[in-house]
Amino acid sequence: MPILFLGTSGVPMTKETDTKEKELLDRISNLELKIKKLKDRKRYGLVWENKIEKFDKDSKDALPILREKGNNYPDIITDKNEDFNILIEGDNYHSLSVLSYTHKNKVDAIYIDPPYNTGSKDFTYNDHYVDKEDRYRHSKWLSFMSKRLKLAKSLLSKNGVMFISIDDNEFAGLKILIEEIFGQNQSDVIVWRKSGDGRDGKMKNTTSFRKDHEYILVVFKRSQVLNKIREMPNFQNEYGNPDNDKRGPYKAGSISNKEGASDINHENYYTVKSPSGKKFKRQFNVSQEEFLELDKDNRIYWGKKGDAVPSIKIFINEERNITPYSVFLNKGTTTEGKKELRDIFNIGNDEEDIFDNPKPSILIRTLIQLATNTESTILDFFAGSGTTGQSVLSLNKEDNGNRKFILCTNNENKLCENITYERIKKVSMGYKNLENKKIKGLGGNLKYLKTDFVKLEKSIDYLKHKIVDGSTEILCLKEGSFNLVGDSYKKNRIKVFQSQNRYTAILFDLFYFEDFIEQLKKLKDKPVSVYVFSYAKDFSKEEFGDLGIKFTIEAIPEKILETYKTIFNF
């Protein structure tokens, strides 16, 4: 009688079942080993229960595109020779998704003032306010921020900097989250004094500390480099003008280390002679050539008798460049931020605020100055009342800069329409303040866009057609060119836009390829970014022949879809 062997499952064993069972046992053994390693691994970081956002469900069936807002929200144009700043209305995750294609590695500075999650109706998650007693309160906030910060990182240029305002409610978690996304030691902290003096009467119920501060997390993409901070001296005492300098009163500040000091490294180590003939050999903070220039400009103080150790004059009425510091004591207050907004919208003291706790523009202007040059791009994807936009325009006015901003915000309670857009319009074009005084506009142009959606299709070719048909504003945003200079055929199969330094030419249908070629040949005065609809991933330059123009070529919508596949996993 034959012997029947049974496996562990009770099924009669054959050679085939024996092999399958062995493979299953090996897999179980490997999983057990991995679990053990995970348990043994030491971990420092954040662990939270990831919560699904409403837009996650929506985005499974649709992909974001952009449309012009139009209607009652026309372009704001103060100078036809300038390019546009951008305002995008919609969920900021969808806006960031579009920017992941248009502005990857192109943003030099980001400032955000996210909801602080205080439990006092300041943070909405899936259309509901998150209550202070919500057991998933911090998990929801971390999920919310993590998704957006990961996209924001991809937008920053290689030396880009992000500033995040926050208070004690989520500061600790946010600091660790930043380290997980950007790496350890890639952030610093600024303490901002948000309140002025004289608040004791309003703080009678406080039994411990009066909370006069918030934090600003400074996050670096790579290099931890900031500009010098420009500001007026804030001396506590009045200083004289013993030599009657025409620039007014000043303080004599140190410009050197004395001979024999412990931190001497012999860089800029030289001898100078005072007006009285006395010599001083020291390590200076500037080169010898710079010192001589300062002395020639009467910015070196040698004492009343002209024989003292040289000092540099710090004039109390003159801005200076100094190393940034970690405590902001005199960069505006929340009260000043409210007053500034009320003044712009001409809201009297007996009327309610139109926006809670706007930041003062001097604070944001200072942060932007630290992290940008005059040609930088600045993003705020929690734009709120639009303080960042005003701050960029103000800084441009101050140093004749050409910075451009992108503001992203939702339109809950008509926020984007009635506050963000209107504020930028007023500060750009000018307005009358509470005292009925006309305030001159800061200039700048604005294009108002909003997110829209293209439904996912089973047919990838049909989806490509729909994405391309909805890609006009996306491509214009990518190239920074919104001025339409060519629009051919009834179904808009060829479009040409221009900015100050380039054209953007889009072919939506290959049927019109030859006509497209003829239009391209006319664009000789500046480079052309060419976009051509193609089912394939590439479209060769050789297919255009010799156009006699300088141009780049990209097949659409493949790269747009590649970006979205990574984000939405469709």
Side-chain angles (χ1 to χ4, degrees):
M1 182 175 178
I3 300 173
L4 181 65
F5 290 95
L6 298 177
T8 56
S9 62
V11 177
M13 289 188 66
T14 64
K15 189 174 182 179
E16 184 179 353
T17 57
D18 184 34
T19 302
K20 288 183 178 179
E21 184 161 328
K22 187 175 183 306
E23 289 176 354
L24 181 60
L25 290 171
D26 286 343
R27 288 180 63 188
I28 292 172
S29 178
N30 287 333
L31 286 171
E32 287 176 340
L33 184 61
K34 287 180 179 180
I35 291 170
K36 185 178 184 305
K37 286 182 178 179
L38 287 171
K39 285 182 177 180
D40 292 341
R41 187 178 70 178
K42 292 182 179 179
R43 174 182 171 85
Y44 176 76
L46 283 175
V47 179
W48 73 87
E49 183 172 342
N50 196 35
K51 310 301 291 182
I52 300 297
E53 271 188 79
K54 182 176 180 291
F55 76 77
D56 286 335
K57 298 176 183 177
D58 294 342
S59 300
K60 286 182 179 179
D61 301 316
L63 300 175
I65 58 171
L66 297 175
R67 304 284 190 197
E68 287 202 37
K69 179 75 170 181
N71 296 327
N72 298 322
Y73 306 93
D75 296 342
I76 297 169
I77 299 176
T78 64
D79 187 342
K80 292 182 179 179
N81 295 318
E82 282 191 16
D83 294 330
F84 284 99
N85 297 293
I86 303 297
L87 172 61
I88 304 177
E89 173 196 315
D91 188 292
N92 58 10
Y93 188 82
H94 295 135
S95 301
L96 288 169
S97 300
V98 175
L99 293 172
S100 294
Y101 167 70
T102 65
H103 281 73
K104 185 176 182 180
N105 301 322
K106 291 183 180 179
V107 175
D108 301 296
I110 297 174
Y111 171 77
I112 56 172
D113 187 11
Y116 287 3
N117 199 19
T118 64
S120 301
K121 293 188 175 182
D122 69 317
F123 174 40
T124 304
Y125 196 85
N126 290 349
D127 300 327
H128 298 286
Y129 286 114
V130 177
D131 186 79
K132 186 175 288 189
E133 305 304 319
D134 188 332
R135 60 184 296 193
Y136 296 111
R137 171 184 159 200
H138 298 291
S139 291
K140 289 176 180 177
W141 193 87
L142 287 168
S143 296
F144 174 82
M145 290 299 296
S146 176
K147 294 182 180 75
R148 288 156 177 81
L149 291 175
K150 286 175 181 176
L151 292 181
K153 180 184 177 183
S154 72
L155 303 182
L156 283 171
S157 59
K158 64 179 181 179
N159 292 319
V161 183
M162 178 161 58
F163 301 96
I164 310 174
S165 285
I166 200 69
D167 72 357
D168 289 304
N169 284 280
E170 296 291 357
F171 171 77
L174 178 60
K175 186 77 166 65
I176 299 174
L177 180 62
I178 288 296
E179 290 188 353
E180 288 194 352
I181 295 173
F182 286 82
Q184 291 190 356
N185 303 316
Q186 285 301 107
S187 65
D188 272 316
V189 180
I190 294 173
V191 178
W192 171 55
R193 184 182 180 185
K194 66 175 184 176
S195 306
D197 296 323
R199 287 208 312 146
D200 286 340
K202 297 180 180 180
M203 306 294 289
K204 293 178 179 178
N205 297 325
T206 299
T207 57
S208 57
F209 292 106
R210 186 179 86 175
K211 291 293 179 70
D212 273 355
H213 72 279
E214 288 181 4
Y215 307 100
I216 301 170
L217 270 170
V218 186
V219 187
F220 300 93
K221 177 82 173 276
R222 290 184 188 171
S223 303
Q224 299 189 19
V225 177
L226 294 173
N227 300 323
K228 295 287 186 180
I229 193 169
R230 294 200 307 265
E231 62 177 28
M232 302 285 284
N234 184 36
F235 303 135
Q236 298 301 311
N237 302 302
E238 288 294 327
Y239 287 82
N241 188 359
D243 57 353
N244 295 313
D245 194 301
K246 62 183 181 181
R247 287 160 291 209
Y250 59 86
K251 174 184 177 181
S254 174
I255 195 174
S256 65
N257 294 324
K258 66 180 180 180
E259 189 174 5
S262 59
D263 56 351
I264 291 284
N265 60 15
H266 290 82
E267 182 181 357
N268 294 327
Y269 193 73
Y270 49 85
T271 301
V272 296
K273 184 189 290 188
S274 73
S276 68
K278 189 174 182 180
K279 293 182 179 180
F280 298 92
K281 187 176 184 181
R282 304 170 72 86
Q283 181 183 19
F284 289 85
N285 300 338
V286 296
S287 69
Q288 192 163 9
E289 291 75 17
E290 288 175 292
F291 182 91
L292 293 173
E293 285 294 322
L294 290 168
D295 194 26
K296 185 179 178 181
D297 193 29
N298 193 27
R299 289 179 178 272
I300 299 298
Y301 181 61
W302 296 95
K304 292 180 180 179
K305 298 180 180 180
D307 61 354
V309 174
S311 301
I312 189 166
K313 294 179 179 179
I314 304 173
F315 294 95
I316 65 173
N317 297 316
E318 185 178 78
E319 272 195 345
R320 58 180 180 152
N321 291 333
I322 61 173
T323 301
Y325 39 82
S326 62
V327 180
F328 278 10
L329 294 178
N330 300 290
K331 298 302 176 188
T333 63
T334 51
T335 300
E336 289 175 32
K338 288 182 179 181
K339 183 180 183 301
E340 189 173 32
L341 192 61
R342 295 175 76 89
D343 209 43
I344 292 169
F345 282 88
N346 212 324
I347 299 171
N349 293 329
D350 57 339
E351 300 177 71
E352 292 185 3
D353 288 324
I354 59 171
F355 188 84
D356 292 333
N357 302 315
K359 292 294 187 290
S361 62
I362 186 175
L363 172 66
I364 313 306
R365 188 169 74 245
T366 301
L367 297 175
I368 294 168
Q369 181 258 310
L370 286 176
T372 69
N373 59 47
T374 55
E375 297 294 325
S376 291
T377 299
I378 297 95
L379 168 66
D380 184 346
F381 55 92
F382 287 95
S385 69
T387 307
T388 298
Q390 177 181 342
S391 302
V392 172
L393 297 177
S394 176
L395 188 56
N396 281 343
K397 193 76 171 179
E398 181 182 308
D399 63 8
N400 199 31
N402 188 39
R403 300 170 186 83
K404 291 291 179 281
F405 63 77
I406 303 172
L407 306 181
C408 307
T409 187
N410 61 38
N411 198 33
E412 185 178 342
N413 298 320
K414 302 293 183 181
L415 168 64
C416 194
E417 295 176 350
N418 295 346
I419 300 178
T420 322
Y421 173 81
E422 287 297 328
R423 179 179 191 169
I424 301 303
K425 182 179 178 180
K426 288 174 180 293
V427 298
S428 294
M429 305 183 77
Y431 61 94
K432 285 189 177 181
N433 67 7
L434 277 169
E435 298 174 356
N436 207 33
K437 179 182 177 182
K438 189 171 183 179
I439 305 299
K440 189 176 180 181
L442 299 172
N445 301 336
L446 184 74
K447 174 74 69 173
Y448 187 168
L449 305 172
K450 64 175 294 185
T451 55
D452 199 355
F453 296 91
V454 167
K455 289 290 183 182
L456 279 171
E457 302 289 345
K458 292 182 180 179
S459 167
I460 190 65
D461 287 345
Y462 187 42
L463 176 61
K464 286 182 177 181
H465 269 291
K466 291 181 69 174
I467 286 288
V468 167
D469 285 343
S471 68
T472 301
E473 282 76 13
I474 292 178
L475 298 178
C476 288
L477 177 60
K478 183 174 186 285
E479 298 296 337
S481 54
F482 284 92
N483 293 318
L484 184 66
V485 293
D487 189 356
S488 303
Y489 307 101
K490 291 181 180 180
K491 293 185 178 180
N492 303 322
R493 299 295 84 189
I494 296 175
K495 283 183 181 287
V496 180
F497 299 85
Q498 71 171 335
S499 63
Q500 295 306 305
N501 56 14
R502 71 188 306 106
Y503 290 105
T504 301
I506 310 170
L507 175 61
F508 294 88
D509 191 331
L510 285 172
F511 181 79
Y512 301 102
F513 185 73
E514 295 302 323
D515 303 277
F516 190 56
I517 292 289
E518 293 306 311
Q519 292 206 29
L520 290 179
K521 288 179 180 179
K522 301 174 184 177
L523 308 178
K524 295 182 181 295
D525 57 315
K526 47 192 171 187
V528 187
S529 297
V530 175
Y531 293 90
V532 178
F533 171 77
S534 174
Y535 290 110
K537 291 186 177 181
D538 299 308
F539 202 91
S540 173
K541 258 189 171 186
E542 284 67 31
E543 297 185 51
F544 288 87
D546 184 12
L547 297 177
I549 64 171
K550 185 178 181 181
F551 72 103
T552 60
I553 175 72
E554 182 175 312
I556 53 174
E558 191 60 39
K559 289 192 176 180
I560 301 175
L561 288 173
E562 284 177 3
T563 300
Y564 285 172
K565 284 175 184 176
T566 302
I567 297 171
F568 298 110
N569 195 31
F570 66 92

